[in-house]
Amino acid sequence: ELINRSGSLFRNKLKWSQFLRFGINTNPRRGFKHHHQPSRMLWRAIRGMLKHKSSRGKAALDHLKVFDGIPYPYDHKKRMVVPEALKVLRLKANSKHCVLGDIAQLGGWTRKHIIENLEEQRKVKSLKFHELKQKKAAARAKAMNDKTVAKFNTELAKYGF
């Protein structure tokens, strides 16, 4: 929901409302699926970039996982930055841009405040974990430099530890 998109919020909202009008005349229930969650909007955009009707494209799309927020197993993983996707490299400084979460909210997504609350809780928990990790690392470094264990460290170094 924090994915940047070029163009002003107003322009993107117009494009989204135009997309919402697409349907099938004979039976609208069979027609287009208009996903309102930012994760599914991204999923659909990526699907448009793949040959999703071939077996290879279908397999690639099955491997793709998209979420709103950062759910349990992934909140403990180290996050990576894709340099090619950075805003400063992809969007001009003077051009207008907006966030996918705002477009989704204007398009009918009602869970934005829930995701924001969960993200705040996750960040607090993550900060607490990081402080504890730093404290443990400092204590370990202090213990390794202690004179009483120097003899053991030299003995262990002989055996490759």
Side-chain angles (χ1 to χ4, degrees):
E1 56 275 356
L2 294 177
I3 295 170
N4 287 311
R5 193 166 165 171
S6 62
S8 67
L9 182 62
F10 180 74
R11 180 174 169 267
N12 279 304
K13 182 188 179 295
L14 286 179
K15 285 172 84 174
W16 176 252
S17 59
Q18 197 173 24
F19 170 68
L20 284 178
R21 275 188 256 128
F22 290 142
I24 292 178
N25 257 353
T26 54
N27 190 351
R29 285 179 293 156
R30 287 188 186 167
F32 286 83
K33 295 279 188 263
H34 304 106
H35 299 290
H36 298 284
Q37 309 98 311
S39 59
R40 296 303 285 178
M41 290 168 124
L42 175 69
W43 179 87
R44 189 183 167 109
I46 292 171
R47 190 190 75 172
M49 299 173 203
L50 296 173
K51 292 184 175 180
H52 67 277
K53 292 184 180 179
S54 70
S55 60
R56 199 164 156 243
K58 203 171 284 183
L61 202 58
D62 286 341
H63 288 295
L64 177 68
K65 294 179 183 178
V66 287
F67 302 101
D68 292 323
I70 305 175
Y72 161 68
Y74 304 104
D75 61 347
H76 299 302
K77 307 278 187 221
K78 185 177 180 183
R79 280 173 281 294
M80 302 294 197
V81 174
V82 180
E84 293 87 19
L86 287 173
K87 182 173 91 170
V88 291
L89 296 178
R90 290 287 158 216
L91 297 174
K92 294 178 185 171
N94 57 354
S95 66
K96 293 181 179 178
H97 63 277
C98 59
V99 178
L100 193 60
D102 294 339
I103 300 168
Q105 190 179 20
L106 290 172
W109 184 49
T110 58
R111 308 273 195 263
K112 185 174 182 178
H113 64 281
I114 295 171
I115 297 293
E116 286 174 350
N117 289 342
L118 289 171
E119 281 297 299
E120 286 175 23
Q121 292 171 9
R122 184 195 61 77
K123 286 177 183 174
V124 168
K125 202 186 297 184
S126 177
L127 181 67
K128 204 179 290 184
F129 171 77
H130 182 69
E131 288 170 353
L132 183 66
K133 186 178 176 182
Q134 294 293 332
K135 194 186 261 186
K136 284 180 181 178
R140 185 179 178 88
K142 185 179 176 186
M144 291 301 273
N145 294 332
D146 198 2
K147 292 177 184 176
T148 57
V149 289
K151 185 174 73 174
F152 297 113
N153 284 341
T154 54
E155 188 69 27
L156 286 171
K158 289 179 188 176
Y159 299 107
F161 289 101

